[in-house]
């Protein structure tokens, strides 16, 4: 149960199990490590698509292209390479991104305007375009349906775990499949960071409603996570729907819309949490669960303020019940609240403890608080007692390993 | 020479060497460590004062009091304790801050409305008010003039170095003295962080002009530093001028105003850099020197974006010439610029190297870049080639030690 709808989660299935989609991930040779680095997703029918792009002024070449392509009525294919971000690569980089779209179109006998292009990895190095071109041909010839497609593996960079999920929902008696995959790790912050997220579904829905649903869902999921406060040049969340489930076309905000929206929210939050807990050097997932704000905007600002604070993250790493830093982070977040009413508690499977209440520190057992914070999933509960709005945000702790890792990323 | 004026820097002098001021720092017993923790500054004549306060919604009790007191025509004394922030301490904390002002007034035979009160240290613990009261009496009886006052030492918390400076300028043939001291370390970020800064001068100037001068100076100094992105509950920058130098009263923006302003800018930037280089776990001072922006606002946003980025800070720690992170941080800073024109260089006493130019990575010697970045003071030079505005910002690297330190601060 997710809210009041039923979502069936199926283990072991991925992108290529969605009706009308095929996919493949391969080792094209872009990464020095020899790991998988190229992924192709193909829809046998024209599909509607929506995407949210990084707000960074410095946008990678594929982002610039996709911002145009997404305006088309439909798409047919997505091509994604990891190991190289094709960012800060000038005119040559832009041409390489165009070439990726053209090569994909040619290999699949579709138009290049029907292809979305993505890159993730190191910034400022030109793509080995001949390797990429050969890889695209290989991908096109190896596409699979209802098989082990390796798509979620091929988009990883510094990720430690594969982030993938497959769910089914029933819309007007038709089973609709939805697969999601993402890559994350460093530079994750509200408003799109080094993050790529993909949802493909066989639902039938108009482009306008898909776009609206997607934006709202991204605001409550990927835009509410923070690993290190940096927002990257490449990040994009994309959703594609090809209608192959043959459910009645969703062209108004009816019950089917609501059900699909809840399933998609579920997937995006699932993937956002996976990204947060897989932050570089992270040892635990930290969730902020904030209630009682006077507006949604205030709720989100306060929740993001907490999850983005280096000092809160460091305290979480040390399992230190430092509610002062939590309050302080809300205080400079830009979100409005009354410190004299706010309540702060910490929660995990080991228990729950209130540490600040009514403008004053609560008397609590430090040892018990430490035990609660030592767990792998920790929730910071906030009640502002000011209104009816709430927000959740996700992040990780800040560890010495994060710094070690990021002091030598390029080497 | 600072710009086009001459400032004489005198080693070994502090607050109490300014005409008409006396001061003292003592071990009152607030800190468990037994270090100095209480400081009193007294002006024999009524002095005009100006202050900038933390923008955090959660404001410590002394901040709430000083925001009212600063509206008075003049002040006579400043009392500062370290070891306890008197923040998130409710009504009792507020009363304790009032008591600090009253006790100081009583000991000095002045009005409590003439006293400014400051606290810094741990959040959420009540002040040991009896110890503080006794300490204030001791301070009042031990005030010194032109002697070793220990003022700058008594305001330290996690600081490693004393931050203090004394300069003289000649205004209309009268020698004016200016002493500055500050404490910083963790939680330093643009818009006032866990930072206290004090300037006392014997200059004669109107309160209105002192206030304007102070605000402008703070915007270009303390508001351009970042240690860890957190903005604290207590921070305040205060300036006090008692007129004892008997220079002609500065009541318009004449040459004396400009000279005094430059001296005060020099002191604030000096102290801001000291705070930045003394960041928790810092191994080097990082300076951003940005030119060619279309507006001052864009210049400052871009410079602050770079200095505030965890990924840039971590790269600086690893002496990694990662210009991608520098560009990326400017890109999400909110400051406007054209990535295709921007130039990024790194500089230290070991040399200067351009790493990004005209929208493309420059070809450079990685080994040489690493040597430049390995030094204790590193400058990130930016030219946006877009306009005539410039800004400087200061910060430090992000080290594994920072995280270790902040994972166990309260213990």
């Amino acid at each position: 149960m997710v809210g009041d709808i039923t979502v069936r989660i199926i283990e072991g299935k991925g992108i290529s199990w969605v009706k009308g989609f095929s996919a493949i991930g391969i080792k094209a040779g872009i990464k020095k490590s020899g790991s998988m680095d190229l992924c192709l997703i193909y829809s046998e029918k024209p599909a509607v698509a929506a995407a949210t792009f990084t707000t960074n002024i410095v946008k990678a070449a594929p982002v610039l292209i996709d911002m145009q392509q997404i305006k088309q009525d439909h798409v047919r294919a997505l091509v994604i390479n990891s190991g190289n971000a094709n960012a800060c690569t000038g005119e040559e980089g832009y041409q390489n991104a165009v070439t990726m779209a053209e090569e994909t179109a040619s290999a699949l006998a579709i138009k290049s305007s029907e292809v979305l292009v993505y890159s993730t990895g190191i910034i400022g190095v030109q793509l080995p375009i001949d390797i990429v071109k050969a890889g695209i041909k290989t991908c096109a010839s190896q596409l699979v349906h209802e098989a082990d497609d390796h798509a979620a593996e091929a988009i990883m960079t510094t990720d430690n775990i594969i982030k993938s999920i497959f769910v089914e929902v029933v819309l007007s008696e038709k089973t609709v499949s939805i697969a999601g995959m993402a890559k994350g790790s460093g530079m994750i912050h509200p408003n799109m960071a080094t993050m790529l997220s993909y949802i493909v579904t066989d639902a039938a829905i108009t482009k306008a409603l898909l776009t609206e649903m997607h934006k709202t869902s991204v605001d409550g999921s990927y835009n509410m996570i923070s690993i290190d406060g940096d927002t990257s040049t490449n990040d994009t969340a994309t959703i594609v729907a090809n209608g192959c489930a043959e459910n009645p076309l969703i062209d108004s905000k009816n019950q089917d819309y609501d059900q699909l929206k809840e399933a998609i929210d579920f997937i995006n939050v699932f993937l956002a949490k996976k990204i947060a807990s897989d932050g570089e050097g992270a040892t635990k997932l930290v969730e902020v669960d904030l209630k009682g704000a006077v507006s949604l905007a205030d709720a989100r600002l306060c929740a993001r303020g907490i999850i983005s604070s280096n000092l809160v993250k460091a305290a979480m790493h040390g399992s230190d019940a430092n509610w002062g830093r939590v309050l302080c982070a809300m205080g400079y977040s830009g979100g409005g609240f009354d410190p004299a009413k706010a309540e702060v508690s910490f929660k995990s499977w080991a228990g729950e403890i209130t540490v600040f209440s009514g403008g004053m520190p609560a008397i609590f057992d430090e040892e018990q608080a430490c035990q609660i914070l030592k767990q792998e999933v920790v929730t910071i509960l906030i009640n502002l007692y000011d209104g009816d709005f709430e927000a959740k945000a996700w992040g990780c702790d800040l560890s010495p390993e994060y710094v070690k890792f990021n002091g030598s990323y390029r080497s």
Side-chain angles (χ1 to χ4, degrees), chain A residues 201-239:
Chain A
T201 175
D202 48 20
I205 180 170
T206 64
K207 185 176 169 77
L209 285 174
L210 186 74
T211 302
E212 182 178 343
M213 181 186 286
H214 181 62
K215 186 176 180 321
T216 316
S217 193
V218 166
D219 281 345
S221 55
Y222 307 113
N223 284 345
M224 294 302 288
I225 57 177
S226 172
I227 304 291
D228 58 20
D230 281 62
T231 305
S232 103
T233 52
N234 287 57
D235 305 335
T236 311
T238 306
I239 186 165

Side-chain angles (χ1 to χ4, degrees), chain A residues 266-312:
Chain A
F266 172 79
I267 290 175
N268 282 330
V269 167
F270 173 90
L271 292 173
K273 286 165 78 168
K274 285 275 180 208
I275 290 168
S277 63
D278 196 20
E280 285 158 359
T283 68
K284 62 184 81 172
L285 173 67
V286 180
E287 178 174 74
V288 174
D289 187 349
L290 183 143
K291 294 190 195 329
V294 288
S295 75
L296 180 61
D298 287 307
R300 285 186 170 165
L301 283 169
C302 286
R304 281 204 289 229
I306 296 167
I307 211 70
S308 305
S309 159
N310 273 356
L311 285 171
V312 171

Side-chain angles (χ1 to χ4, degrees), chain A residues 127-175:
Chain A
L127 272 176
I129 191 65
D130 291 335
I131 291 175
V132 174
K133 283 165 76 175
I136 289 171
K137 283 200 187 77
T138 308
C139 280
S141 68
Q142 295 186 1
L143 283 168
V144 296
H145 179 62
E146 292 191 357
D148 210 356
D149 55 52
H150 302 292
E153 206 180 327
I155 64 172
M156 291 165 77
T157 53
T158 54
D159 304 69
N160 295 305
I161 54 164
I162 294 176
K163 299 161 188 77
S164 170
I165 186 169
F166 184 98
V167 309
E168 287 179 356
V169 280
V170 178
L171 303 183
S172 300
E173 295 178 1
K174 289 282 185 184
T175 297

Side-chain angles (χ1 to χ4, degrees), chain A residues 49-67:
Chain A
T52 336
F53 300 99
T54 181
T55 54
N56 200 307
I57 283 185
V58 184
K59 290 180 169 63
V63 171
L64 295 173
I65 288 173
D66 289 349
M67 287 175 78

Side-chain angles (χ1 to χ4, degrees), chain A residues 20 23 46 104-105 123 136 141 149 161 178 220 223 229 298 338 344 355 394:
Chain A
T104 303
I123 293 178
I136 289 171
S141 68
D149 55 52
I161 54 164
I178 316 167
N223 284 345
D298 287 307
D338 179 353
V344 180
V355 291
W394 301 273

